[in-house]
Amino acid sequence: MGVGSAGDRGAEPGREPAVGTLGDLPGRLADALRAGRFAVTAEIGPPRGADLAPVRESAALLRDWVDAANVTDNQGAQVRVSSLAGSVAALEAGLEPVMQLTCRDRNRIALQSELLSAGALGVPNLVLMTGDKPERGDDPAATAVFDLDSEALMAAARTLRDEGRLVSGRVVDPAPRP
């Protein structure tokens, strides 16, 4: 899982990259950032329906033009195919995904399960965020969860990747790795 900042350009000469830097992370997005090249990304909104063909079609159109594509997580607080399923479909179509994961719809158990699943399925990049308020979506009566905020989710993702530990302190083996 690539969890770092755009400013992480790798290690100084003669030093190992710090955990969380680009180091030797694989992928076109990491290559662009490591080289200091302008990274080009796009966005794919998974469909509202149980068919991944639209994601695969979008990925096929984008794969030769972008370094990666953000796969949204119920954007606009509207139910859609999950970002994880969309990210796997993009990977299968030859496009590097950036899986979006929002705090709005999941408690800490479900968020960490998504992180482990992304790692297990080979999703190389994440963007972690709070998410739109449910009242802005198509089911305003839905309850927001927000068990973790985006800052706590970022800390959880880094701890899971770097130390193989959950928020509870329990160990996972193996930890998700790039």
Side-chain angles (χ1 to χ4, degrees):
M1 286 187 312
V3 180
S5 70
D8 291 338
R9 301 274 186 234
E12 295 175 23
R15 286 188 51 199
E16 287 293 313
V19 173
T21 65
L22 293 172
D24 61 353
L25 290 176
R28 286 175 60 177
L29 181 58
D31 289 346
L33 296 173
R34 203 174 8 256
R37 197 172 74 238
F38 188 78
V40 178
T41 62
E43 182 172 279
I44 296 175
R48 184 193 305 256
D51 182 6
L52 287 168
V55 174
R56 289 186 185 98
E57 291 165 8
S58 293
L61 290 170
L62 292 169
R63 71 178 165 227
D64 294 330
W65 297 94
V66 301
D67 296 304
N70 178 36
V71 181
T72 61
D73 184 17
N74 294 321
Q75 77 267 23
Q78 297 182 22
V79 176
R80 298 180 179 273
V81 167
S82 76
S83 180
L84 178 58
S87 293
V88 171
L91 270 173
E92 290 170 348
L95 177 64
E96 184 174 329
V98 179
M99 184 181 125
Q100 189 178 94
L101 184 59
T102 63
C103 303
R104 174 194 57 231
D105 305 320
R106 300 169 188 88
N107 68 14
R108 67 188 64 210
I109 295 168
L111 288 165
Q112 291 172 105
S113 177
E114 289 286 302
L115 293 171
L116 284 174
S117 297
L121 292 169
V123 175
N125 307 296
L126 302 168
V127 59
L128 308 172
M129 57 186 63
T130 303
D132 299 314
K133 294 181 180 180
E135 55 267 18
R136 294 189 178 163
D138 58 358
D139 189 355
T143 302
V145 178
F146 298 118
D147 185 22
L148 300 178
D149 62 18
S150 57
E151 189 174 330
L153 178 56
M154 284 185 260
R158 288 184 78 108
T159 300
L160 185 58
R161 181 199 61 195
D162 298 346
E163 301 173 23
R165 285 187 306 107
L166 300 169
V167 171
S168 68
R170 304 229 22 200
V171 173
V172 298
D173 185 27
R177 296 283 183 236

